[in-house]
Amino acid sequence: MIREQLYDGHKRKIGDVRISVTDRCNFRCQYCMPAEGLPWLDREDLLSYEEIARLVGLLASMGVHDVRLTGGEPLARRELWRLVELLSADENVHDLSLTTNGYLLERQVEQLVKAGLRRVNVSLDSLAADRFFQLTRRNSLQQVLDGLAAAERHPELRPIKVNAVALKDFTEDEVVRFAEFARKHPYEVRFIEFMPLDADRTWSRDRVLPNAEVRRLIHAAYPLKDLGRDRHGTSRRWEFADGQGSIGFISPVSEPFCGDCNRIRITAEGNLRTCLFSMTETDLRGPMRAGASDDELERIIRAAVWEKELKHDVNDEGFVQPLRTMSQIGG
């Protein structure tokens, strides 16, 4: 069944949903989670794979054709390939992707590809083992690199994107290494500005390394050519002037792209969020488990999405950081 296209109250066509399958993570990245971790959701509080598939099917019938699975660390959820198989069978799902820290990717990637996964983003904030440990509090750089190499062996998984959070007084030493990494491998390295979604609540503007500075450092070593940004894309892409690879920049703090945002998010326990920085959520799990029909769920979703924020307020005086961290929202 095809339903009317989903729009928000600012006449933006909603076409992308990020779905968290778990709040658990095996890393403790400083910009996301405290060293001791966070209280995890009970298993019965998580949406089942069948419940996720039902919501995705409903959203896809409303024109939300792009689906990304996130966490926490999504590969920490048992047999994630079963969910991928359910979602890839829906003809209204046009793009099915995964964001992962890569630690478990090598052992799972073959099953995921067979199940229908078509794109993967791997979070990787340093290419030096000691600095990787400093940021993630885990000695796991090689496992992540092995996961990337395993993904590379599957031509169905393209493009492979590598996401690095840009932190002032840390990432400056990494940018040229990452540029060389992007030139040697078929990966699109993307730098993401540090956002106020950390559990330790240590975010401040002076900890943000603007992507303009990252570009300047890379351009000095390897000249870049601007490829622009897709209308609904988060990343502004640049290619190396000699054609050997490309680099992306996601700049939500210094260059917000809210006006073109076509995304919504569903948390691991089934709450709909219309922005990373939303202060409110809409419960979908409760009505589903109470027996709501698809038509009733559609009305709930449309009402919530109609209230989608015009923009985030990170750059405004009086900004209040959401109570949830990135790992609890879904990256």
Side-chain angles (χ1 to χ4, degrees):
M1 178 179 179
I2 301 299
R3 298 169 185 263
E4 183 181 344
Q5 173 66 50
L6 182 62
Y7 283 91
D8 70 8
H10 306 287
K11 300 182 180 179
R12 292 175 296 197
K13 184 194 298 187
I14 306 302
D16 185 306
V17 61
R18 312 292 170 97
I19 298 181
S20 175
V21 300
T22 181
D23 61 329
R24 296 174 185 250
C25 189
N26 41 18
F27 285 8
R28 297 292 182 271
C29 299
Q30 291 187 26
Y31 55 78
C32 183
M33 194 177 293
E36 65 275 14
L38 292 164
W40 306 130
L41 292 167
D42 292 333
R43 179 170 296 183
E44 59 269 22
D45 292 332
L46 298 176
L47 291 181
S48 70
Y49 287 167
E50 290 72 23
E51 288 171 329
I52 293 173
R54 181 185 175 192
L55 287 177
V56 167
L58 178 58
L59 287 166
S61 75
M62 299 160 66
V64 186
H65 298 307
D66 296 346
V67 179
R68 176 176 298 280
L69 303 178
T70 71
E73 170 45 46
L75 296 183
R77 182 139 181 200
R78 186 173 300 175
E79 296 183 334
L80 187 68
W81 63 268
R82 291 201 305 108
L83 176 60
V84 171
E85 193 170 66
L86 287 172
L87 302 184
S88 66
D90 189 328
E91 62 182 12
N92 291 319
V93 174
H94 298 169
D95 184 56
L96 180 56
S97 58
L98 171 76
T99 293
T100 172
N101 63 29
Y103 181 77
L104 298 170
L105 186 58
E106 183 181 22
R107 69 185 75 170
Q108 296 190 35
V109 67
E110 185 170 353
Q111 280 185 313
L112 292 167
V113 170
K114 286 180 178 177
L117 188 69
R118 288 297 171 261
R119 290 197 300 118
V120 64
N121 289 10
V122 176
S123 299
L124 176 59
D125 301 307
S126 174
L127 291 168
D130 56 339
R131 292 166 62 80
F132 182 94
F133 177 82
Q134 178 186 344
L135 200 60
T136 67
R137 304 182 176 108
R138 295 292 185 268
N139 186 22
S140 304
L141 174 61
Q142 191 56 54
Q143 287 92 329
V144 177
L145 294 176
D146 290 345
L148 273 168
E152 187 181 338
R153 291 193 288 271
H154 292 273
E156 305 94 328
L157 284 182
R158 295 294 185 274
I160 297 171
K161 297 179 181 179
V162 175
N163 294 338
V165 173
L167 299 165
K168 197 167 186 179
D169 299 325
F170 182 89
T171 306
E172 293 92 334
D173 293 337
E174 297 284 342
V175 294
V176 173
R177 278 198 291 261
F178 271 118
E180 292 167 348
F181 191 61
R183 289 168 63 80
K184 292 176 183 176
H185 299 278
Y187 311 146
E188 180 187 323
V189 173
R190 308 190 305 173
F191 292 94
I192 305 174
E193 290 177 343
F194 178 33
M195 292 180 283
L197 293 165
D198 58 311
D200 290 330
R201 296 185 172 267
T202 61
W203 184 90
S204 64
R205 190 165 299 281
D206 60 9
R207 293 193 67 199
V208 178
L209 177 63
N211 272 330
E213 174 63 12
V214 178
R215 283 196 298 272
R216 186 191 68 78
L217 293 170
I218 294 175
H219 187 76
Y222 300 103
L224 295 168
K225 182 170 69 173
D226 190 359
L227 297 177
R229 180 171 69 86
D230 294 338
R231 182 182 175 195
H232 295 300
T234 58
S235 174
R236 189 177 186 95
R237 292 182 60 238
W238 298 64
E239 69 176 2
F240 295 104
D242 61 8
Q244 293 185 45
S246 66
I247 292 279
F249 300 92
I250 301 175
S251 311
V253 179
S254 66
E255 302 172 50
F257 38 82
C258 302
D260 293 330
C261 181
N262 71 337
R263 286 166 203 80
I264 55 176
R265 296 169 185 272
I266 297 176
T267 67
E269 73 273 42
N271 291 333
L272 173 65
R273 293 178 66 90
T274 52
C275 175
L276 264 176
F277 299 99
S278 290
M279 301 303 289
T280 59
E281 299 177 341
T282 300
D283 176 28
L284 299 179
R285 184 192 67 194
M288 264 201 306
R289 293 185 179 177
S293 68
D294 282 359
D295 288 344
E296 290 169 330
L297 287 173
E298 179 183 1
R299 285 193 288 272
I300 295 169
I301 290 169
R302 288 192 187 278
V305 171
W306 188 255
E307 300 297 326
K308 179 174 166 62
E309 299 84 343
L310 177 61
K311 65 182 185 68
H312 66 61
D313 299 320
V314 172
N315 293 314
D316 296 346
E317 187 175 350
F319 167 76
V320 177
Q321 182 173 333
L323 292 176
R324 284 184 182 266
T325 69
M326 178 67 88
S327 65
Q328 295 170 321
I329 295 170

